[in-house]
Amino acid sequence: MTTTPEPDDFLEIGGTRLQSRLFVGTGKFGDDALIPAVCEASGAQVITMALRRVDLDAGPANLMGHIPAHMVRLPNTSGARTADEAVRIARLARAMGCGHWIKIEVVADSRHLLPDGYATARATETLAREGFVVLPYMNPDLYVARSLADAGAAAVMPLGAPIGTNRGLRTREMIAVLIEDLALPVIVDAGIGRPSQACEAMEMGAAACLVNTAIATAADPVGMARAFGRAVAAGREAFLSGPGAVRARASASSPLTGFLGQDGGRAPQEVAP
Amino acid sequence: MTLTVNGSTRPLPRPANVAALLRDCGLDPAVVVVERNGTIVPGADYAATPLEPGDTLEILSFVGGG
């Protein structure tokens, strides 16, 4: 395999060392039985899920039965419209006995599904104080990000594009600001539709990417999961390797001297300054 | 002598406790979480948590999500 990460390169969140920098979601799969193979192919070590009322006629879904034992469970607070609702859902999720990580999602606008940064910061503060490892989903806004850091977030999760759109890193410049400014890991969540976009986020210095829709709605989710795992690892290795400078003008990759039939070692024509 | 469970009216189970309610609903206690009148009921306390007429219960489980 060419995707083996550097042995000493890991992402530490809430005291857990992660070798994989791809987080995967469990929504929208045509068949939840694909989830174990998606986990295996992607190499992901963190997986998200949501909490909902049981349909008393149908019984509970068997989602957790499909999640490999070694995965870190990252329940989300989707459905919360206020900070109090997010706190309530987080406490219920923890009572399920699947750990104390929580992805805070407070969305009051059902049309755009954009997160409420102020309510998210309030919920983060409460839950961090209660010992949760809090990963808030957010708009990539510098001041909201600093509020979340001050509130005790373990990482921030800015959106690349609106949830479920597969439109890629539309917020690229603002995510770059967060990466440059924050001491916390920046995990790009939402909107990533292609492995190349996840790779780009990692090249920029993102700590990880969370991908759900792009994998779950692919024609071959397992193949797409493998592609995302490789892309995230490649982007990380590129970031660690220090990408070369971007130039406005051409700069030859091959020597401009020593051409055949040339006099005195001079280039055949002057190179523009 | 009824409860509100996940927004619907249900008869009080016999005996009137959370464990009996889950049994009546055909639910495995290990894969759900229960809130009674806004307070989480710890899994170990299902049998010891009495239910009274008019109680409001929420029974939840994990589903796919991002």
Side-chain angles (χ1 to χ4, degrees):
Chain A
M1 285 287 284
T2 55
T3 57
T4 307
E6 295 294 309
D8 57 349
D9 178 42
F10 54 81
L11 172 60
E12 183 161 339
I13 294 181
T16 300
R17 288 184 172 191
L18 303 167
Q19 294 295 330
S20 167
R21 291 169 179 271
L22 174 62
F23 295 11
V24 294
T26 56
K28 301 182 186 171
F29 280 94
D31 180 0
D32 285 351
L34 287 169
I35 290 172
V38 162
C39 293
E40 168 78 24
S42 68
Q45 294 170 287
V46 178
I47 191 162
T48 63
M49 66 275 313
L51 194 65
R52 289 291 182 275
R53 274 180 170 171
V54 173
D55 177 343
L56 293 175
D57 297 322
N62 181 33
L63 177 71
M64 301 312 278
H66 294 301
I67 295 180
H70 71 275
M71 304 288 288
V72 174
R73 274 79 166 153
L74 177 58
N76 66 39
T77 67
S78 63
R81 291 154 299 177
T82 65
D84 285 347
E85 288 178 3
V87 168
R88 181 183 180 193
I89 294 168
R91 289 171 178 160
L92 284 162
R94 183 158 70 174
M96 290 284 287
C98 295
H100 56 293
W101 288 38
I102 192 76
K103 173 183 158 183
I104 300 187
E105 214 177 311
V106 183
V107 173
D109 182 312
S110 59
R111 176 169 159 81
H112 301 290
L113 299 178
L114 291 172
D116 178 337
Y118 305 103
T120 301
R122 288 197 298 278
T124 297
E125 187 169 14
T126 301
L127 293 170
R129 214 184 296 127
E130 293 181 13
F132 283 87
V133 174
V134 182
L135 292 88
Y137 171 59
M138 60 163 324
N139 243 311
D141 176 276
L142 177 62
Y143 299 98
V144 170
R146 287 178 177 168
S147 299
L148 294 169
D150 290 344
V156 294
M157 303 183 84
L159 60 91
I163 293 176
T165 58
N166 282 348
R167 283 162 64 189
L169 286 180
R170 298 297 171 125
T171 60
R172 186 184 202 286
E173 300 301 322
M174 299 302 113
I175 287 175
V177 168
L178 299 193
I179 290 169
E180 198 267 328
D181 188 79
L182 296 181
L184 291 179
V186 174
I187 301 169
V188 179
D189 177 8
I192 293 177
R194 301 286 183 268
S196 56
Q197 295 157 358
C199 188
E200 183 185 2
M202 299 307 296
E203 288 173 12
M204 288 164 54
C209 291
L210 195 165
V211 179
N212 185 354
T213 299
I215 292 173
T217 65
D220 173 6
V222 176
M224 190 60 78
R226 186 177 299 110
F228 266 104
R230 288 175 171 165
V232 165
R236 176 64 183 175
E237 190 160 7
F239 171 72
L240 293 176
S241 302
V246 175
R247 296 177 191 279
R249 288 230 175 82
S251 167
S253 299
S254 307
L256 290 170
T257 56
F259 290 102
L260 286 173
Q262 186 180 325
D263 287 336
R266 285 184 38 235
Q269 62 189 55
E270 290 299 314
V271 177
Chain B
M1 299 293 276
T2 61
L3 306 165
T4 302
V5 182
N6 288 0
S8 299
T9 303
R10 283 187 73 91
L12 208 63
R14 289 173 194 278
N17 63 47
V18 172
L21 175 66
L22 294 179
R23 186 200 59 217
D24 284 5
C25 293
L27 295 174
D28 175 358
V31 301
V32 299
V33 60
V34 179
E35 200 187 64
R36 174 182 176 242
N37 299 332
T39 301
I40 295 169
V41 181
D45 297 347
Y46 287 161
T49 302
L51 296 175
E52 290 168 20
D55 277 355
T56 297
L57 289 114
E58 295 286 346
I59 305 175
L60 304 102
S61 69
F62 282 130
V63 299

